[in-house]
Amino acid sequence: EVQLVQSGAEVKKPGESLKISCKGSGYSFTSYWIGWVRQMPGKGLEWMGIIYPGNSDTRYSPSFQGQVTISADKSISTAYVQWSSLKASDTAMYYCARLGGGNGVADYWGQGTLVTVSS
Amino acid sequence: QSALTQPASVSGSPGQSITISCTGTSSDVGGYNYVSWYQQHPGKAPKLMIYDVSNRPSGVSNRFSGSKSGNTASLTISGLQAEDEADYYCSSYTSSTTYVFGSGTKVTVL
């Protein structure tokens, strides 16, 4: 059974750093792209970027380039997104998803990680 | 890279059919047959409903269908049911080798 399990909710202060994770199981982790999606409170879905764990090829959506770093550790089948200095506007639910079709088909999703940034 | 344009809300009575549009440009929706649709119930992760414009994943009801004409893709829900009440998002591959979601549509079953 394909599963993506994300790390737990985080409460951080502005300026702090953070790394959240997404662990894949039940499939060949290195053979499928993983995408990260942001959903701000009461708002829509936004693609942040994607990574191919097999060779760490990473592509960022223009709005997120330079704002976050997406990475993966294929030895433990885990993808990450990290912030070096959080802002209140980073408060959101973050989802990871497996791109099963190779063309943006997010066929399996993680349960989401809620990040709250508040002083 | 702007979000694809969807109507904010669409409503229908049980048993009726509704259609949600998703308008982009020739650099995304119009340029590729890589449009997907997702359903999201409150507090839940999105669920894939349609991929590659008109294909349904295993397990998704055949009441859901997709199509595309030019720069606009569409999701049709026929035989509307109470459980279809949710937010729906389209997504497309783009010429920047990334992806973009639509603005989202809230479907209400009257």
Side-chain angles (χ1 to χ4, degrees):
Chain A
E1 177 194 9
V2 174
Q3 283 193 311
L4 295 173
V5 178
Q6 298 185 230
S7 50
E10 301 274 1
V11 178
K12 292 289 190 179
K13 293 183 177 357
E16 292 186 332
S17 62
L18 176 65
K19 192 174 188 178
I20 62 174
S21 66
C22 168
K23 183 174 176 61
S25 62
Y27 73 101
S28 174
F29 186 74
T30 54
S31 300
Y32 294 85
W33 291 82
I34 290 282
W36 284 96
V37 174
R38 181 176 77 176
Q39 188 167 38
M40 299 174 74
K43 302 298 184 183
L45 305 175
E46 300 173 90
W47 284 108
M48 299 170 66
I50 58 175
I51 186 166
Y52 190 74
N55 60 7
S56 292
D57 184 7
T58 307
R59 303 170 190 181
Y60 295 92
S61 294
S63 300
F64 292 90
Q65 181 79 48
Q67 306 305 307
V68 298
T69 301
I70 293 171
S71 60
D73 184 341
K74 60 185 179 182
S75 70
I76 55 172
S77 300
T78 302
Y80 305 94
V81 62
Q82 67 182 83
W83 296 260
S84 59
S85 180
L86 287 161
K87 301 183 282 287
S89 58
D90 292 317
T91 294
M93 180 71 81
Y94 293 88
Y95 294 101
C96 65
R98 187 187 84 161
L99 304 189
N103 46 27
V105 182
D107 57 356
Y108 288 91
W109 291 72
Q111 82 277 19
T113 295
L114 180 62
V115 174
T116 303
V117 183
S118 174
S119 55
Chain B
Q1 189 176 47
S2 301
L4 307 174
T5 301
Q6 297 181 230
S9 62
V10 173
S11 62
S13 299
Q16 286 187 328
S17 293
I18 62 169
T19 296
I20 303 168
S21 61
C22 169
T23 301
T25 69
S26 58
S27 295
D28 38 63
V29 174
Y32 309 92
N33 288 323
Y34 297 148
V35 176
S36 304
W37 288 90
Y38 301 89
Q39 176 193 65
Q40 187 181 34
H41 287 108
K44 301 293 188 182
K47 175 186 175 183
L48 176 67
M49 304 302 285
I50 295 287
Y51 67 96
D52 294 353
V53 175
S54 60
N55 294 302
R56 261 189 323 275
S58 174
V60 171
S61 171
N62 59 9
R63 298 185 297 104
F64 291 85
S65 61
S67 63
K68 191 185 87 167
S69 177
N71 295 338
T72 298
S74 299
L75 174 71
T76 298
I77 309 174
S78 57
L80 199 61
Q81 299 180 0
E83 67 208 50
D84 300 332
E85 187 161 292
D87 294 325
Y88 291 83
Y89 297 90
C90 60
S91 173
S92 175
Y93 181 73
T94 81
S95 58
S96 304
T97 69
T98 58
Y99 302 94
V100 62
F101 278 111
S103 47
T105 298
K106 181 177 180 60
V107 168
T108 300
V109 181
L110 301 171

